[in-house]
């Protein structure tokens, strides 16, 4: 594959060169290209809000648990499901779309994700660095407030972008044979599962996580410290309520 | 942007050259590169099932409403949320993940989408053509049966891939200014909405859709013919039930 070089060696960039700005017009250009990525029925039920302003970043930072990348980045991009624009178009055309349900939500998440990823690929191929913030679905409401999102607009993904000020190692991945199944799903047994995760568990960073968090193993760090059940349940309820207030009943 | 050429001119390919196969090993290689795309917490809670077998494609075809791309493609790729592998790993490490909720579902959809899109970009950059089938969230259950998906594995996206046997026009997109908002969401008024959709409405293909479906305008074609409320509501319920049966309660 002649594209190997970039794709297999890409890495997430969390520290940006604050002396190098990316102009809003360059971001718009990249988004314009990214919007050529596929989307459900070519309805484009998504929007993105570009935050470049210092005050705008400050307003978003707490919703992202003050991750330094937010203030540090040239821009913060919040990718949203957008049923508002499409519904408005339907309204002035004497019809009503029925997308305020689980199908509409799922299409919106898929389309916003594809759009966001295409943007990241374009930015990275042009020498910039990007980072997805996993906090958007936790704190959708304060994000919506800060960005003045109307009914039907749901934050799904946040990406920070800037020129890299770090050169991190390539992040580990599970063996592709564990992820990609030929013809039928292969249900791994416990011995296979151990093998699949062996390399990840052996990383120095994994051992450090375990020690720092006083756990017995890496799985416990994930399930009990980084993504504890109670938090996931709580944030699920918060997100569901927010969706309802924005007019989507999943 | 030096990546302009590809990204802004990409198009969906639905007809494939059936004399040119893509070997399973080449697909695995591309997937391996694609898996370097970002994912939530590097947990990789996704899987992909590659269908190359004639019988396998035949089993999937009805679930995709017999779209010709399924039988025609070199391979059909079903991208899934996969909580099964991660849960199994947690189980043998004396812990239990709490991802069987809306947060886990949303992360899974985001991660499966990013992975799928990265695969599509790699395939397209290597001269292949891809097509997303929007039918996966409608018919998740028969797809799961055909692919023998266990508990915790949810089909989200299907991509067909093959060498192109057509060279379609670049598909239209809304003006980027309607999609990308600087600093705050700009709520368009009805005059602006009309402008945003004017070019799309003026396309010969749009006019053809309206005539063929005996509707007054394009919005009605979308809201009443292609994505009618009743179907969206019905398929939302079917998907929700399927998720519940697979162990995810959104």
């Amino acid at each position: 594959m002649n594209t190997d070089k970039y794709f297999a060696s890409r890495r997430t960039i969390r520290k940006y060169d604050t002396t190098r700005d990316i102009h809003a017009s360059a971001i718009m250009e990249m988004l314009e290209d990214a919007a050529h990525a596929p989307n459900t029925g070519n309805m484009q039920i998504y929007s993105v809000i570009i935050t470049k302003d210092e005050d705008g970043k400050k307003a978003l930072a707490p919703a992202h648990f003050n991750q330094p990348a937010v203030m540090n980045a040239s821009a913060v991009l919040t990718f949203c499901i957008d049923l508002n624009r499409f519904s408005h178009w339907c309204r002035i055309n004497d019809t009503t779309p029925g997308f305020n349900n689980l199908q509409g939500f799922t299409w919106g998440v898929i389309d916003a994700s594809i759009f966001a990823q295409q943007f990241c690929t374009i930015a990275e191929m042009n020498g910039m660095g990007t980072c997805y913030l996993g906090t958007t679905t936790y704190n959708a409401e304060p994000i919506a407030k800060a960005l003045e999102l109307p009914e039907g607009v749901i934050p799904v993904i946040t990406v920070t972008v800037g020129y890299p000020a770090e050169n991190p190692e390539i992040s580990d991945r599970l063996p592709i044979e564990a992820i990609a199944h030929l013809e039928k799903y292969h249900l791994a047994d416990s011995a296979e599962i151990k093998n699949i995760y062996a390399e990840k568990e052996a990383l120095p960073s994994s051992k450090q996580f375990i020690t720092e968090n006083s756990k017995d193993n890496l799985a416990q760090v994930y399930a009990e410290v980084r993504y504890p059940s109670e938090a996931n349940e709580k944030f699920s309820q918060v997100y569901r309520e927010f969706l309802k207030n924005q007019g989507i009943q999943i």
Side-chain angles (χ1 to χ4, degrees), chain A residues 135-152:
Chain A
T135 29
T136 314
T137 56
Y138 288 164
N139 295 315
E141 191 171 1
I143 293 170
K145 247 179 215 146
L147 303 175
E148 299 178 3
L149 306 183
E151 196 183 340

Side-chain angles (χ1 to χ4, degrees), chain A residues 124-210:
Chain A
E124 291 178 0
M125 284 191 156
N126 280 287
M128 300 163 212
T130 68
C131 178
Y132 280 84
L133 307 181
T135 29
T136 314
T137 56
Y138 288 164
N139 295 315
E141 191 171 1
I143 293 170
K145 247 179 215 146
L147 303 175
E148 299 178 3
L149 306 183
E151 196 183 340
V153 183
I154 313 289
V156 175
I157 281 172
T158 302
V159 167
T160 55
V161 62
Y163 282 98
E166 63 171 350
N167 188 16
E169 294 283 305
I170 296 172
S171 175
D172 68 289
R173 290 294 185 267
L174 300 177
I176 193 63
E177 297 74 20
I179 302 287
H181 311 249
L182 197 56
E183 302 302 343
K184 307 277 177 191
Y185 188 96
H186 171 72
L187 191 59
D189 62 25
S190 296
E192 288 172 304
I193 291 285
K194 270 187 190 153
N195 266 329
I196 288 167
Y197 287 90
E199 206 181 308
K200 188 182 197 70
E201 288 173 333
L203 292 173
S205 60
S206 297
K207 294 189 172 168
Q208 200 186 328
F209 277 142
I210 298 168

Side-chain angles (χ1 to χ4, degrees), chain A residues 91-108:
Chain A
R91 206 159 54 239
I92 61 178
N93 282 288
D94 298 313
T95 190
T96 311
F99 292 1
N100 49 350
N101 45 45
L102 179 58
Q103 288 292 333
F105 172 73
T106 309
W107 298 335

